[in-house]
Amino acid sequence: MSALANHSFAKMNGIGNEIVVIDLRDGAAGIAPDDARTVAAIVPYDQLMVLQRPGLAGTEAFVRIYNNDGSEAGACGNGMRCVAQRVFAGSGKDALTFETRAGLINCWPGPSPDTFTVDMGVPKFGWQDIPLAEEFRDTRGIELQIGPIDAPILHTPSVVSMGNPHAIFWVDDIEAYDLGKFGPLLENHPIFPERANITLAHVVDRDHIVMRTWERGVGLTRACGSAACATAVAAARLRRTGRLVHMTLPGGKLTIDWRERDDHVLMTGPAELEYEGRLDPKLFGAAV
């Protein structure tokens, strides 16, 4: 029987990122990719955040992150804010630490009610760390394009790992491109052996970027927190912005601070509870 049968869940919103949080820290076993896909059919989501018993002392939970196609992600910034909102409630704590596939994630309340800051860790720029299928010494802009070689439609993306791979294409107008068409082609391009999140970004000024993302394993999304972090870092590496940037995504706004003293990327934004429910055991083949 699935650990999710008859289990409670929280449907949440992270600036348009549709998030489902399920707490299995009571001792229930983990879940399978088929379970994640079943949940997506019941409660549509971009990411499913499953809290399991922590493996390290001092941490609140091990968080497994599933895309709606059942694949696992290493990081989800918007989802971690939603997890933080659930765990902070009634905890009496002023900071939380979670384990993820991408490493330890620290969270604390933001500057206004229902906002939270997530420490997304240190970005990685090495071609093997992102990873890429071949060597590029300078990942601020790699040789990759869509369209005719003499007149490419999109070209020379910056690539960054924020616990998952990101490619950022710099454009003048993020709405001028059919991201629904180009996104899947680029996500699955052979240069990305683990696929990639694809972002179109426009630098408005030194502290403001607007962006849209095709999310690996999800598709077009109203928000992707790790993509916002990757985009802010990539812009700072190119000296197009400073290290503190306000990001405008289709679903809302985030503030990203690539902290200079230790290179950690801090993401601040809201998390909203939409409703709570319970998963019908019949959908998981369980007897009732």
Side-chain angles (χ1 to χ4, degrees):
M1 179 187 300
S2 169
L4 299 185
N6 203 38
H7 208 286
S8 60
F9 68 89
K11 174 65 169 55
M12 305 194 70
N13 185 329
I15 66 163
N17 226 172
E18 299 296 327
I19 304 295
V20 172
V21 178
I22 297 178
D23 191 344
L24 299 182
R25 291 178 295 170
D26 58 2
I31 71 170
D34 283 347
D35 290 336
R37 288 188 286 268
T38 298
V39 175
I42 304 167
V43 189
Y45 65 77
D46 294 321
Q47 272 78 38
L48 170 65
M49 315 292 289
V50 178
L51 279 63
Q52 297 179 322
R53 286 180 174 178
L56 296 176
T59 63
E60 303 296 326
F62 187 96
V63 183
R64 294 186 70 180
I65 305 168
Y66 295 87
N67 299 314
N68 61 25
D69 67 353
S71 62
E72 280 199 64
C76 176
N78 290 325
M80 289 307 303
R81 290 201 316 280
C82 293
V83 167
Q85 195 256 26
R86 299 295 293 172
V87 178
F88 267 120
S91 73
K93 297 182 178 181
D94 57 8
L96 303 172
T97 301
F98 298 95
E99 301 168 67
T100 71
R101 285 179 54 193
L104 296 181
I105 301 290
N106 296 310
C107 308
W108 55 91
S112 57
D114 295 320
T115 64
F116 301 88
T117 297
V118 177
D119 183 343
M120 297 289 286
V122 178
K124 296 179 181 179
F125 308 120
W127 70 274
Q128 292 174 308
D129 298 320
I130 291 169
L132 303 177
E134 60 184 85
E135 180 178 0
F136 288 90
R137 294 185 178 181
D138 188 352
T139 53
R140 291 175 297 180
I142 67 168
E143 296 176 15
L144 174 63
Q145 66 182 40
I146 289 286
I149 192 169
D150 56 343
I153 298 169
L154 294 169
H155 64 91
T156 323
S158 301
V159 287
V160 181
S161 172
M162 285 301 313
N164 45 21
H166 292 271
I168 302 100
F169 291 86
W170 306 102
V171 298
D172 292 328
D173 181 358
I174 63 171
E175 301 295 341
Y177 302 85
D178 188 351
L179 188 55
K181 175 182 178 181
F182 298 125
L185 298 175
L186 290 163
E187 173 193 352
N188 295 285
H189 192 283
I191 196 65
F192 303 118
E194 297 181 7
R195 301 185 293 166
N197 299 277
I198 308 301
T199 292
L200 303 179
H202 170 63
V203 177
V204 178
D205 54 43
R206 291 285 299 172
D207 64 359
H208 184 202
I209 299 173
V210 296
M211 57 175 283
R212 295 172 63 209
T213 296
W214 173 274
E215 191 165 3
R216 178 184 66 166
V218 175
L220 286 173
T221 182
R222 290 178 56 76
C224 179
S226 62
C229 293
T231 301
V233 167
R237 290 186 79 205
L238 290 167
R239 299 186 178 179
R240 298 185 179 191
T241 66
R243 296 174 72 105
L244 177 64
V245 186
H246 302 290
M247 312 294 295
T248 299
L249 297 80
K253 298 180 183 297
L254 295 171
T255 298
I256 309 298
D257 180 10
W258 186 18
R259 194 164 59 189
E260 189 164 8
R261 64 180 171 86
D262 59 5
D263 280 341
H264 281 231
V265 181
L266 310 182
M267 176 191 60
T268 301
E272 175 189 358
L273 173 65
E274 293 184 348
Y275 61 88
E276 296 175 284
R278 192 165 291 276
L279 297 167
D280 187 341
K282 291 183 292 185
L283 297 169
F284 297 91
V288 293

